[in-house]
Structures are given as structure tokens and as C-alpha cells.
Amino acid sequence: MIRYVVFLVLLSIWASVEGRSISQFLTEKSTGTKWVVLVAGSNGWWNYRHQADVCHAYQLLKKGGLKDENIIVFMYDDIANNTENPRPGVLINNPHGQDVYQGVPKDYVGEDVNADNFFNVILANKSGITGGSGKILDSGPNDNIFIYYTDHGGPGIVSMPTGLVYANDLINVLEKKHASGTYSKMVFYLEACESGSMFDGLLPEGLNIYVTTASKPDENSWGTYCGLGSGACLVECPPPEFDGVCLGDLYSVAWMEDSDVQDRQTTTLDNQYDRIANRTAANLTHGSHVMQYGDMELSVDALFQYMGSVSTSHSQAPCPMASAPSPMDAASFLTSSENVDQRDTELFYLTSKYQGAPKGSNEEFEANRKLNEVISQRNQVDNSVKRLGELLFGVEKGNEVLQSVRPAGQPLVDNWDCLKSYVKTFEAHCGKLTAYGKKHVRGIANICNAGIESEEMVAATAQACSS
């Protein structure tokens, strides 16, 4: 007994010298395999940043010692070799960054990047997967899991190239994974507009899951390292050949550049949360509030338990953040700086195309036509939703009801089946919700919460979108 006590005292001293408590040391030694799922849920050149984010994440995890057999990558894979890419076969996530595309596994690409495959990968349900490599999250009870997802989103949803991932479906999958007893602990990082709404009031404690999100449930997230050519950025621009695209997302770049430089053996998830929250909110006119959900006791875990460990030397140097143009105003992008609201990145890209086209050319005419078309579509969906609210709740109350935000800790909607059905109803009459239009899912959720019957919703939507 005396020898055992002496051993624990010596072990405690050694662990403290190494910067870790004895409890952390014992926990680390019992950790099994590290598993990772990386998801970029968009496509199209103007969404460059999402696939660059995921490729950067892969590289830092690979350098941390994780094996390809334990890293599962979802990305449409239409960016690196896109005809608009000035550096064919290369992706960068930082103005001074190296190529992050080379060597990235292409487990699920193109149309195989979808919600069903994502869920079946998490649940290790190989028979439910269509296409792709067939790689699944075949974890065991002592294994840790890290999931990183970056994309457009909206209240209670994140996007896929086709279709949506609804918050209640995601939570249901995570609960099933926990019930299967096939992991020890899980960390989930989510980059999307209103990303907090995917977990707020929905993720129960006790699943051994720790989550951070790029924004609050009612807040947009931001692209970064964006610019419109020489002199357009206040601090750090992408190379001029990348006009009109953002190289990364603000929250995503913050956690990855932090992971690149920190000692992951001693830095905890909570340490990282504090730093990325400060960086992401440094300019709240062009930034967001990073949020935490789930089992907070996991936040004392060292990063290496999920991301592996690597030398503190790095190639993706962190850069300071700067301000950006006001959303919704195409003209303001002509004096753009660095951060761009994710909802406005398509407008940002099209404005760049228009600005860069030779004056009086067919290219300028076509860029102007497309820009005006997108602005018109944005105005149309805004007006349709406004009209829908007026038809259902009256002119005075319509906007108030649709814009209402529930208190923190309360889920977006009471009846998720209603929300899914009414989103389909709206899109059937008013057209598919774009990355910009997805912000109106909150209004549709509030229609469900108000108890509007299906027949009334169909009639009002048809009327609102026909005028």
C-alpha cells in the first residue's frame, strides 16, 4: 500500500511537470483510437473556403499522427480542379498558406456528399451507404471521435450540396451513436450561420459530447481572407488572383490556426475555445459569438486526445482580422475588406466578377446580369416571406411573429415534422431556398409554433408567392 501511494505521488509530480494533472494523464493513457469525420457541405467556386477549411483540417490531423483509415472526408471536390482556380490542383486556407489539398482522401465526393451518407457513416451502418469509399466510423468503446462540419446553414439546419441536415435528425443520430456504446468521448466543431441552433435546447447532457459552434442560434458566421484585389483589404488579403472568394471561414481558420501553433499535449479544448471566441468576436460588426454545448467537463481534455500531437512549428500563420462591407449592399463590396457575412459570399463573388470585367465587354454585361438576378432573387424571397407573414398574422404582427427568437435553451421549433413539411411547401410555391434564403427557416418554424394548419399554410404560401 505504501509503495502504491509513493508511486502515485511520483506520478503526480511527473505529470505536473509535464503540465497535466494526474487525472488527465490517466485519462490520456486509456484513450483508444482517434476517429475523425470532416464535412464540407457546399459546392460551387464561390464556396471555395469550405473545402479549403476541410483540407486544412485534414492536414493538421494527419500531422498529429492520425491515420487515413480513421479519417473520413466528405467534400464535393469541385474546387481544386475548377476552371476558375488560378492554381489548378491546389487549395490554400491562408494568404501565405501552403497547398492543403494534396493527399486528402476522397471518401465521399459529388452527389455522395449527402445527409443519409453522413448519418450512416457516424452510425457505422455500411449497408445504408450509397457510393463513396464505404469508409465508416467503426469506432469502439474506448475511442474518441472528432467531427468538423463547415457549410452554409440556417435556423435548425445545415446544408448539403443537395438537401438539408435538420437539427433534430442530427441529435437523434448522436443519441443512437451513444446508445451503441461505440465511443468514449466526442467533440463536434460546427461552422455555419445560426449554427448554435443545431444544438441549443436539443443536445442533452450525458452523451459525452462537447460542441462548439461558430455563432449563436440567431447569428450569421463569417468568411475570412476575402478581398477584391490589391489595396482592397485593411489587413491581410488573399493573393489577387483569388478575387471574389474567401480562402477560409473565420471560426474555422481560428481553431485550425490555433491548433497549428499550440502544444496540443497541454492545451485544452477550453483554452482553445477562449482563444477562438476572442478572435472570432474581435470585431462583432463582422464577426460572431462562438458557443459551447453539451458536456462541459470534456472541455478540460487536451487537444491531442482528439487531434493528435505535433510540433508547434506551422505553415498556416495566424493573421489578424479586419472589418468587412455591410451585408446586402452590392456597391459596398467595391471597397471590401477582409471578413464577409456567409450569406453574402455569393454577392461578394459576383460583384468581383463585375468589377473585374473589361468595361463595355460582353463579360461585363453578363456579370452585371447575373449580379442583378441574384439581388432580385434575394429581394423576392424577402418579400414573399414578408407577405406570407402578413397573410397569416396580419400586417402589423406578421414581421414580429416571423422574426421572433426563442430564449436560449429552447429549441427552434416544437414540431420538427411540421417544419420539414412547411419548408417543402414554401419551396414548392416560392422556389428553392438559397444560402441567403435559408435565414427564413426561422420564420417558417415560427409559423409551426403558432399552430398554423397545413391547409392554411399551403393557401397562404401559394398566394404570397404568386403576387
Coordinates of all heavy atoms in Angstrom, one line a residue, residues 359-402:
K359 N -14.5 47.1 -69.2 CA -15.6 48.0 -69.4 C -16.2 47.9 -70.8 O -15.5 47.9 -71.8 CB -15.2 49.4 -69.2 CG -14.7 49.7 -67.7 CD -15.8 49.4 -66.7 CE -15.3 49.6 -65.3 NZ -16.3 49.2 -64.3
G360 N -17.5 47.7 -70.9 CA -18.2 47.6 -72.1 C -18.2 46.3 -72.8 O -18.7 46.1 -73.9
S361 N -17.6 45.3 -72.1 CA -17.4 44.0 -72.8 C -18.7 43.1 -72.5 O -19.5 43.4 -71.6 CB -16.2 43.3 -72.2 OG -16.4 43.0 -70.8
N362 N -18.8 42.0 -73.3 CA -19.8 41.0 -73.0 C -19.7 40.4 -71.7 O -20.7 40.1 -71.0 CB -19.8 39.9 -74.1 CG -20.2 40.4 -75.5 OD1 -21.0 41.4 -75.6 ND2 -19.8 39.8 -76.5
E363 N -18.4 40.3 -71.2 CA -18.2 39.7 -69.9 C -18.8 40.6 -68.8 O -19.4 40.1 -67.8 CB -16.7 39.6 -69.7 CG -16.3 38.9 -68.3 CD -14.8 38.8 -68.2 OE1 -14.1 39.0 -69.1 OE2 -14.4 38.5 -67.0
E364 N -18.6 41.9 -69.0 CA -19.2 42.9 -68.0 C -20.7 42.8 -68.0 O -21.3 42.8 -67.0 CB -18.7 44.3 -68.3 CG -19.2 45.3 -67.3 CD -18.9 46.7 -67.7 OE1 -19.1 47.1 -68.9 OE2 -18.5 47.5 -66.8
F365 N -21.2 42.7 -69.2 CA -22.7 42.7 -69.4 C -23.3 41.4 -68.7 O -24.2 41.5 -68.0 CB -23.1 42.7 -70.9 CG -24.6 42.5 -71.1 CD1 -25.4 43.6 -71.0 CD2 -25.1 41.2 -71.4 CE1 -26.8 43.4 -71.2 CE2 -26.4 41.0 -71.6 CZ -27.3 42.1 -71.5
E366 N -22.6 40.3 -68.9 CA -23.1 39.0 -68.3 C -22.9 39.0 -66.8 O -23.8 38.6 -66.1 CB -22.3 37.9 -68.9 CG -22.7 36.5 -68.4 CD -24.2 36.2 -68.7 OE1 -24.8 36.7 -69.6 OE2 -24.8 35.3 -67.9
A367 N -21.8 39.6 -66.3 CA -21.6 39.7 -64.9 C -22.6 40.6 -64.2 O -23.2 40.2 -63.1 CB -20.2 40.2 -64.6
N368 N -23.0 41.7 -64.9 CA -24.0 42.6 -64.3 C -25.3 41.9 -64.3 O -26.1 42.1 -63.4 CB -24.0 43.9 -65.2 CG -24.9 44.9 -64.6 OD1 -24.8 45.3 -63.4 ND2 -25.9 45.3 -65.4
R369 N -25.6 41.2 -65.4 CA -26.9 40.5 -65.5 C -27.1 39.5 -64.3 O -28.1 39.4 -63.7 CB -27.1 39.8 -66.8 CG -28.4 39.1 -67.0 CD -28.4 38.1 -68.2 NE -27.5 36.9 -67.9 CZ -27.8 35.9 -67.0 NH1 -29.0 35.9 -66.5 NH2 -27.0 34.9 -66.8
K370 N -26.0 38.7 -64.1 CA -26.1 37.7 -63.1 C -26.2 38.3 -61.7 O -26.9 37.9 -60.8 CB -24.9 36.8 -63.1 CG -24.8 35.6 -62.1 CD -26.0 34.7 -62.3 CE -25.9 33.5 -61.3 NZ -27.1 32.7 -61.4
L371 N -25.4 39.4 -61.5 CA -25.5 40.1 -60.2 C -26.9 40.6 -59.9 O -27.4 40.4 -58.8 CB -24.5 41.2 -60.2 CG -24.4 42.1 -59.0 CD1 -24.0 41.3 -57.7 CD2 -23.4 43.3 -59.2
N372 N -27.5 41.3 -60.9 CA -28.8 41.8 -60.7 C -29.9 40.7 -60.5 O -30.8 40.8 -59.8 CB -29.2 42.6 -61.9 CG -28.5 44.0 -62.0 OD1 -28.2 44.5 -60.9 ND2 -28.2 44.5 -63.2
E373 N -29.6 39.5 -61.2 CA -30.5 38.4 -61.0 C -30.5 37.9 -59.5 O -31.6 37.6 -59.0 CB -30.1 37.3 -61.9 CG -30.9 36.0 -61.9 CD -30.4 34.9 -62.8 OE1 -30.2 35.2 -64.0 OE2 -30.2 33.8 -62.3
V374 N -29.3 37.8 -59.0 CA -29.2 37.3 -57.6 C -29.8 38.3 -56.6 O -30.5 37.9 -55.7 CB -27.7 37.0 -57.3 CG1 -27.5 36.7 -55.8 CG2 -27.2 35.8 -58.0
I375 N -29.5 39.6 -56.8 CA -30.1 40.6 -56.0 C -31.6 40.6 -56.0 O -32.3 40.7 -55.0 CB -29.6 42.0 -56.3 CG1 -28.1 42.1 -56.0 CG2 -30.4 43.1 -55.6 CD1 -27.4 43.4 -56.5
S376 N -32.2 40.4 -57.3 CA -33.6 40.3 -57.4 C -34.2 39.0 -56.7 O -35.2 39.1 -56.1 CB -33.9 40.2 -58.9 OG -35.3 40.0 -59.1
Q377 N -33.5 37.9 -56.8 CA -33.9 36.7 -56.1 C -33.9 36.9 -54.6 O -34.9 36.5 -53.9 CB -33.0 35.5 -56.4 CG -33.1 35.0 -57.9 CD -32.0 34.0 -58.2 OE1 -31.1 33.8 -57.5 NE2 -32.2 33.4 -59.4
R378 N -33.0 37.6 -54.1 CA -32.9 37.9 -52.6 C -34.1 38.7 -52.2 O -34.7 38.5 -51.2 CB -31.6 38.5 -52.3 CG -30.4 37.6 -52.3 CD -29.1 38.3 -52.5 NE -28.7 39.2 -51.3 CZ -27.8 38.9 -50.5 NH1 -27.0 37.8 -50.6 NH2 -27.5 39.7 -49.5
N379 N -34.3 39.8 -53.0 CA -35.4 40.7 -52.7 C -36.8 39.9 -52.8 O -37.7 40.1 -52.0 CB -35.4 41.9 -53.7 CG -34.3 42.8 -53.4 OD1 -33.8 42.9 -52.3 ND2 -33.9 43.5 -54.4
Q380 N -36.9 39.0 -53.8 CA -38.1 38.3 -54.0 C -38.4 37.4 -52.8 O -39.6 37.3 -52.3 CB -38.0 37.5 -55.3 CG -39.3 36.7 -55.6 CD -39.2 36.0 -56.9 OE1 -38.2 36.1 -57.7 NE2 -40.2 35.2 -57.2
V381 N -37.4 36.6 -52.3 CA -37.7 35.7 -51.2 C -38.0 36.5 -49.9 O -38.9 36.2 -49.1 CB -36.5 34.7 -51.0 CG1 -35.3 35.4 -50.4 CG2 -37.0 33.6 -50.0
D382 N -37.3 37.7 -49.7 CA -37.6 38.5 -48.6 C -39.1 39.0 -48.7 O -39.8 39.0 -47.7 CB -36.7 39.7 -48.5 CG -35.3 39.4 -48.1 OD1 -35.1 38.3 -47.6 OD2 -34.4 40.2 -48.4
N383 N -39.5 39.5 -49.8 CA -40.8 40.0 -50.0 C -41.9 38.9 -49.9 O -43.0 39.1 -49.3 CB -41.0 40.7 -51.4 CG -40.2 42.0 -51.4 OD1 -39.9 42.6 -50.4 ND2 -39.8 42.4 -52.6
S384 N -41.6 37.7 -50.4 CA -42.5 36.6 -50.3 C -42.8 36.2 -48.8 O -43.9 35.9 -48.4 CB -42.0 35.4 -51.1 OG -42.0 35.7 -52.5
V385 N -41.7 36.1 -48.1 CA -41.8 35.7 -46.7 C -42.6 36.8 -45.9 O -43.4 36.5 -45.0 CB -40.4 35.5 -46.0 CG1 -40.5 35.3 -44.5 CG2 -39.8 34.2 -46.7
K386 N -42.3 38.1 -46.2 CA -43.0 39.2 -45.5 C -44.5 39.1 -45.8 O -45.3 39.3 -44.9 CB -42.4 40.5 -46.0 CG -43.1 41.8 -45.4 CD -42.3 43.0 -45.9 CE -43.0 44.3 -45.3 NZ -44.3 44.5 -45.8
R387 N -44.8 38.9 -47.1 CA -46.2 38.8 -47.5 C -46.9 37.6 -46.8 O -48.0 37.6 -46.4 CB -46.3 38.6 -49.0 CG -47.7 38.4 -49.6 CD -48.5 39.6 -49.3 NE -49.8 39.5 -50.0 CZ -50.9 40.0 -49.5 NH1 -50.9 40.8 -48.4 NH2 -52.1 39.9 -50.2
L388 N -46.2 36.5 -46.7 CA -46.7 35.3 -46.0 C -47.0 35.6 -44.6 O -48.1 35.2 -44.1 CB -45.7 34.1 -46.1 CG -46.0 32.8 -45.4 CD1 -47.3 32.2 -46.0 CD2 -44.8 31.8 -45.5
G389 N -46.1 36.3 -43.9 CA -46.4 36.6 -42.5 C -47.6 37.5 -42.4 O -48.4 37.4 -41.5
E390 N -47.8 38.5 -43.3 CA -48.9 39.4 -43.3 C -50.2 38.6 -43.5 O -51.3 38.9 -42.9 CB -48.7 40.5 -44.3 CG -47.6 41.4 -44.0 CD -47.3 42.4 -45.1 OE1 -47.9 42.2 -46.2 OE2 -46.5 43.4 -44.9
L391 N -50.2 37.7 -44.4 CA -51.4 36.9 -44.7 C -51.8 36.0 -43.5 O -53.0 35.8 -43.3 CB -51.2 36.0 -45.9 CG -51.1 36.7 -47.3 CD1 -50.6 35.7 -48.4 CD2 -52.5 37.3 -47.7
L392 N -50.9 35.5 -42.8 CA -51.2 34.6 -41.7 C -51.4 35.3 -40.4 O -52.3 34.8 -39.6 CB -50.0 33.6 -41.5 CG -49.8 32.6 -42.6 CD1 -48.5 31.8 -42.4 CD2 -51.0 31.6 -42.7
F393 N -50.7 36.4 -40.2 CA -50.8 37.1 -38.8 C -51.2 38.5 -38.9 O -51.3 39.2 -37.8 CB -49.5 37.0 -38.1 CG -49.0 35.5 -38.0 CD1 -47.9 35.1 -38.8 CD2 -49.6 34.6 -37.2 CE1 -47.4 33.8 -38.7 CE2 -49.1 33.3 -37.1 CZ -48.0 32.9 -37.9
G394 N -51.5 39.1 -40.1 CA -51.8 40.5 -40.2 C -50.6 41.4 -40.5 O -49.5 41.0 -40.2
V395 N -50.9 42.5 -41.1 CA -49.9 43.4 -41.5 C -49.0 43.9 -40.3 O -47.8 44.0 -40.4 CB -50.5 44.6 -42.2 CG1 -49.4 45.7 -42.5 CG2 -51.1 44.2 -43.5
E396 N -49.7 44.2 -39.2 CA -49.0 44.7 -38.0 C -48.2 43.7 -37.3 O -47.1 44.0 -36.8 CB -50.0 45.4 -37.1 CG -50.6 46.6 -37.6 CD -51.5 47.3 -36.6 OE1 -51.6 46.8 -35.4 OE2 -52.2 48.3 -36.9
K397 N -48.6 42.5 -37.2 CA -48.0 41.4 -36.4 C -47.1 40.5 -37.2 O -46.3 39.8 -36.7 CB -49.0 40.6 -35.7 CG -49.7 41.3 -34.6 CD -48.8 41.5 -33.4 CE -49.5 42.1 -32.2 NZ -48.6 42.3 -31.0
G398 N -47.3 40.5 -38.6 CA -46.6 39.4 -39.4 C -45.1 39.4 -39.2 O -44.5 38.3 -38.9
N399 N -44.4 40.5 -39.4 CA -43.0 40.5 -39.3 C -42.5 40.2 -37.9 O -41.5 39.5 -37.7 CB -42.5 41.9 -39.7 CG -40.9 41.9 -39.8 OD1 -40.4 41.2 -40.6 ND2 -40.3 42.7 -39.0
E400 N -43.2 40.7 -36.9 CA -42.9 40.4 -35.5 C -42.9 38.9 -35.2 O -42.0 38.4 -34.5 CB -43.8 41.2 -34.6 CG -43.6 40.9 -33.1 CD -44.6 41.6 -32.2 OE1 -45.3 42.5 -32.7 OE2 -44.7 41.2 -31.0
V401 N -44.0 38.2 -35.6 CA -44.1 36.8 -35.4 C -43.0 36.0 -36.1 O -42.3 35.2 -35.5 CB -45.4 36.3 -35.8 CG1 -45.5 34.8 -35.7 CG2 -46.6 36.9 -35.0
L402 N -42.7 36.4 -37.4 CA -41.7 35.6 -38.1 C -40.3 35.8 -37.6 O -39.5 34.9 -37.7 CB -41.8 36.0 -39.6 CG -43.1 35.7 -40.3 CD1 -42.9 36.0 -41.8 CD2 -43.5 34.2 -40.1

